[in-house]
Amino acid sequence: MANILSVAAVGDRVVDPVTVATASPSPEYLAWRAGERRRRRAIAATRLLLLAVFLAVWEVLARTHLVNPMLTSYPSALWPAFLDLLRNGDLVGHTWATLKATLIGFALSMAIGTSVAAALWWSGFAQKVLDPFLVIANAMPKIAFVPIFYIWLGSEYSVYGMAVAIAVFVTIMVIYEGFQGIDPNKVKLATTFGASRAQVLRLVVLPGSVPTLIAALKMNIGLALVGVIVGEFQSANAGLGFLILNGSQVFKLNIVMTAIVVLGAMSGLMYLVIARLEAALARRYA
């Protein structure tokens, strides 16, 4: 009986579903997979080529003094500077200070931004009242707040304040627009089945806004890093921003450029983590 139930009729043939499931992929599918692999390799190789060309042009321009190496340094001088900073322990300490402040500012901005956006979605009256204030706060140059944060929070915590100030208002507006973009028919259907406002938010709005939340994550991590660096320029005594500012004041451009390269690597790694998170959530909410 089990064997009889495990087969199915397809046209004039009797096909075992297990055999169908384990059948080899079609030649067209294999060709498509091979083409996708070649495309990914070509993209990676082109990226590396562009980076190599940029470094080579930078090196040649500085070595031939077409640009002043005192003002730009050159790639071959960065590796010794990197090793020197690494041996002294300065690079690890300053990198960790910047990374820690960025992650804390990023987490605070996302938590505050998502909570406020949910509150605005919950109450249309609150959204109407607060909308112009949010627009004005987002448009203000945040660097003007550095002295205030320094007085209020001190040299250490003012960096976190700048990270949140730069990232949070954009986060609120982006996430709120994502909440508003949810299909109203889905909200109406959930309400018809007796869902409360909180259940609609938790079961319909938040899962439906995953692409918007991912976009906010990508944007927020960069804005938080910008806020941290601005804060370190103005008031900190540690961090890559402090290292850049200190190196520029004594014309040690090797240190400045090394810190900038580390910042670029840090940004790339954080973006890669969010991209992996995006891929995982896309599979779950597809």
Coordinates of all heavy atoms in Angstrom, one line a residue, residues 228-270:
V228 N 30.1 59.8 15.3 CA 31.2 59.5 16.3 C 32.4 60.2 15.9 O 33.1 60.8 16.7 CB 31.4 58.0 16.3 CG1 32.7 57.6 17.0 CG2 30.2 57.3 17.0
I229 N 32.7 60.2 14.6 CA 34.0 60.9 14.1 C 33.9 62.4 14.3 O 34.8 63.0 14.8 CB 34.2 60.6 12.6 CG1 34.5 59.1 12.4 CG2 35.4 61.4 12.1 CD1 35.7 58.6 13.2
V230 N 32.7 63.0 14.1 CA 32.5 64.4 14.3 C 32.7 64.7 15.8 O 33.4 65.7 16.2 CB 31.2 64.9 13.9 CG1 30.9 66.3 14.3 CG2 31.1 64.8 12.3
G231 N 32.1 63.9 16.7 CA 32.3 64.1 18.1 C 33.8 63.9 18.5 O 34.2 64.7 19.4
E232 N 34.5 62.9 17.9 CA 35.9 62.7 18.3 C 36.7 63.9 17.8 O 37.7 64.2 18.4 CB 36.4 61.4 17.7 CG 35.8 60.2 18.4 CD 36.2 58.9 17.8 OE1 36.7 58.9 16.6 OE2 35.9 57.8 18.4
F233 N 36.4 64.5 16.7 CA 37.1 65.6 16.2 C 37.0 66.8 17.2 O 38.0 67.5 17.4 CB 36.5 66.1 14.9 CG 37.0 65.4 13.7 CD1 36.4 65.5 12.5 CD2 38.1 64.5 13.8 CE1 36.8 64.9 11.3 CE2 38.5 63.8 12.6 CZ 37.9 64.0 11.4
Q234 N 35.9 66.9 17.9 CA 35.7 68.1 18.7 C 36.1 67.9 20.2 O 36.5 68.9 20.8 CB 34.2 68.5 18.6 CG 33.7 68.8 17.2 CD 34.4 70.1 16.7 OE1 34.7 71.0 17.4 NE2 34.7 70.1 15.4
S235 N 35.8 66.7 20.7 CA 35.9 66.7 22.2 C 36.6 65.4 22.8 O 36.9 65.4 24.0 CB 34.5 66.8 22.8 OG 33.7 65.7 22.3
A236 N 36.8 64.4 21.9 CA 37.3 63.1 22.5 C 38.8 63.1 22.7 O 39.5 63.9 22.1 CB 36.9 62.0 21.6
N237 N 39.3 62.2 23.5 CA 40.7 62.0 23.7 C 41.1 60.6 23.3 O 42.2 60.1 23.6 CB 41.2 62.3 25.1 CG 40.4 61.5 26.1 OD1 39.6 60.6 25.7 ND2 40.5 61.8 27.4
A238 N 40.2 59.9 22.5 CA 40.5 58.6 22.0 C 39.6 58.4 20.8 O 38.6 59.0 20.6 CB 40.3 57.5 23.1
G239 N 40.0 57.4 19.9 CA 39.2 57.1 18.8 C 40.0 57.5 17.5 O 40.9 58.2 17.5
L240 N 39.5 56.9 16.4 CA 40.1 57.2 15.1 C 40.0 58.7 14.7 O 40.9 59.2 14.0 CB 39.5 56.3 14.0 CG 39.8 54.8 14.2 CD1 39.1 54.0 13.2 CD2 41.3 54.5 14.1
G241 N 38.9 59.3 15.0 CA 38.7 60.7 14.8 C 39.8 61.5 15.5 O 40.3 62.5 14.9
F242 N 40.0 61.2 16.7 CA 41.0 61.9 17.5 C 42.4 61.6 16.9 O 43.2 62.5 16.8 CB 41.0 61.4 19.0 CG 42.2 61.8 19.8 CD1 42.2 63.1 20.3 CD2 43.2 60.9 20.0 CE1 43.3 63.5 21.1 CE2 44.3 61.3 20.8 CZ 44.4 62.6 21.3
L243 N 42.6 60.4 16.4 CA 43.9 60.1 15.8 C 44.1 60.8 14.5 O 45.2 61.4 14.3 CB 44.0 58.6 15.5 CG 45.3 57.9 15.2 CD1 46.3 58.1 16.4 CD2 45.2 56.5 14.8
I244 N 43.1 61.0 13.7 CA 43.2 61.8 12.5 C 43.5 63.2 12.8 O 44.3 63.9 12.2 CB 41.9 61.6 11.7 CG1 41.7 60.2 11.2 CG2 41.8 62.6 10.5 CD1 40.4 59.9 10.5
L245 N 42.7 63.8 13.7 CA 42.9 65.2 14.1 C 44.3 65.4 14.7 O 45.0 66.4 14.3 CB 41.8 65.6 15.1 CG 41.9 67.1 15.5 CD1 41.6 68.0 14.3 CD2 40.9 67.3 16.7
N246 N 44.7 64.6 15.6 CA 46.1 64.7 16.2 C 47.2 64.6 15.1 O 48.1 65.3 15.1 CB 46.2 63.7 17.3 CG 47.5 63.9 18.1 OD1 47.7 65.0 18.7 ND2 48.3 62.9 18.3
G247 N 47.0 63.6 14.2 CA 48.0 63.4 13.2 C 48.1 64.6 12.2 O 49.2 65.0 11.8
S248 N 46.9 65.2 11.9 CA 46.9 66.3 11.0 C 47.5 67.6 11.6 O 48.2 68.4 10.9 CB 45.5 66.6 10.5 OG 44.7 67.0 11.6
Q249 N 47.4 67.7 12.9 CA 47.9 68.9 13.6 C 49.5 68.9 13.6 O 50.1 70.0 13.7 CB 47.4 69.0 15.0 CG 45.9 69.4 15.1 CD 45.4 69.3 16.5 OE1 45.9 68.7 17.4 NE2 44.2 70.0 16.7
V250 N 50.1 67.7 13.6 CA 51.6 67.6 13.6 C 52.1 67.2 12.2 O 53.2 66.8 12.1 CB 52.0 66.7 14.7 CG1 51.7 67.2 16.1 CG2 51.5 65.3 14.5
F251 N 51.2 67.3 11.2 CA 51.6 66.9 9.8 C 52.1 65.5 9.7 O 53.0 65.3 8.9 CB 52.6 67.9 9.3 CG 51.9 69.1 8.6 CD1 51.5 70.2 9.4 CD2 51.7 69.2 7.3 CE1 50.9 71.3 8.9 CE2 51.0 70.3 6.7 CZ 50.6 71.3 7.5
K252 N 51.6 64.6 10.4 CA 51.9 63.1 10.3 C 50.8 62.5 9.4 O 49.9 61.8 9.9 CB 52.1 62.4 11.6 CG 53.2 62.9 12.4 CD 53.4 62.1 13.7 CE 54.6 62.5 14.5 NZ 54.8 61.7 15.8
L253 N 51.0 62.7 8.1 CA 49.9 62.3 7.2 C 49.8 60.8 7.0 O 48.8 60.2 6.7 CB 50.1 63.0 5.8 CG 49.4 64.3 5.6 CD1 47.9 64.1 5.7 CD2 49.9 65.4 6.6
N254 N 51.0 60.1 7.3 CA 50.9 58.6 7.3 C 49.9 58.1 8.3 O 49.1 57.2 8.1 CB 52.3 58.1 7.6 CG 53.3 58.3 6.5 OD1 52.9 58.7 5.4 ND2 54.6 58.2 6.8
I255 N 49.9 58.7 9.5 CA 49.0 58.3 10.6 C 47.6 58.7 10.2 O 46.6 57.9 10.3 CB 49.3 59.0 11.9 CG1 50.7 58.5 12.4 CG2 48.3 58.8 12.9 CD1 51.2 59.2 13.7
V256 N 47.4 59.9 9.6 CA 46.0 60.3 9.2 C 45.5 59.3 8.1 O 44.3 58.8 8.2 CB 46.1 61.7 8.6 CG1 44.7 62.1 8.0 CG2 46.5 62.7 9.7
M257 N 46.3 59.0 7.1 CA 45.8 58.1 6.0 C 45.6 56.7 6.5 O 44.6 56.0 6.1 CB 46.8 58.2 4.8 CG 46.8 59.5 4.1 SD 45.2 59.9 3.4 CE 45.6 61.5 2.7
T258 N 46.4 56.3 7.4 CA 46.2 54.9 8.0 C 44.9 54.8 8.8 O 44.2 53.9 8.6 CB 47.4 54.6 8.9 OG1 48.6 54.6 8.1 CG2 47.2 53.2 9.5
A259 N 44.6 55.9 9.5 CA 43.4 55.9 10.3 C 42.2 55.9 9.3 O 41.2 55.3 9.6 CB 43.4 57.1 11.2
I260 N 42.3 56.6 8.2 CA 41.2 56.7 7.3 C 41.0 55.3 6.6 O 39.8 54.9 6.4 CB 41.5 57.8 6.2 CG1 41.4 59.2 6.9 CG2 40.5 57.7 5.0 CD1 41.8 60.3 6.0
V261 N 42.1 54.6 6.3 CA 42.0 53.3 5.7 C 41.3 52.4 6.7 O 40.4 51.6 6.3 CB 43.3 52.8 5.3 CG1 43.3 51.3 4.9 CG2 43.9 53.6 4.1
V262 N 41.7 52.4 8.0 CA 41.0 51.6 9.0 C 39.5 51.9 9.1 O 38.7 51.0 9.2 CB 41.7 51.8 10.3 CG1 41.0 51.0 11.4 CG2 43.2 51.3 10.2
L263 N 39.2 53.2 9.0 CA 37.8 53.6 9.0 C 37.0 53.0 7.8 O 35.9 52.5 8.0 CB 37.7 55.1 8.9 CG 37.7 55.9 10.3 CD1 37.6 57.4 10.0 CD2 36.5 55.5 11.1
G264 N 37.7 53.0 6.7 CA 37.0 52.4 5.5 C 36.8 50.9 5.7 O 35.8 50.4 5.3
A265 N 37.8 50.2 6.2 CA 37.7 48.8 6.5 C 36.6 48.5 7.5 O 35.8 47.6 7.4 CB 39.0 48.2 7.0
M266 N 36.5 49.3 8.5 CA 35.5 49.2 9.6 C 34.1 49.3 9.0 O 33.2 48.6 9.2 CB 35.7 50.2 10.7 CG 34.7 50.0 11.8 SD 34.8 51.5 13.0 CE 36.5 51.3 13.5
S267 N 34.0 50.4 8.1 CA 32.7 50.6 7.5 C 32.3 49.4 6.6 O 31.1 49.0 6.6 CB 32.7 51.9 6.6 OG 33.1 53.0 7.4
G268 N 33.2 48.9 5.8 CA 33.0 47.8 5.0 C 32.5 46.5 5.7 O 31.6 45.8 5.4
L269 N 33.2 46.3 6.9 CA 32.8 45.1 7.7 C 31.4 45.2 8.3 O 30.7 44.3 8.3 CB 33.9 44.9 8.8 CG 35.2 44.4 8.3 CD1 36.2 44.4 9.5 CD2 35.1 43.0 7.7
M270 N 31.1 46.4 8.8 CA 29.8 46.6 9.4 C 28.7 46.5 8.3 O 27.6 45.9 8.5 CB 29.7 48.0 10.1 CG 30.6 48.1 11.3 SD 30.3 49.6 12.3 CE 30.9 50.8 11.2

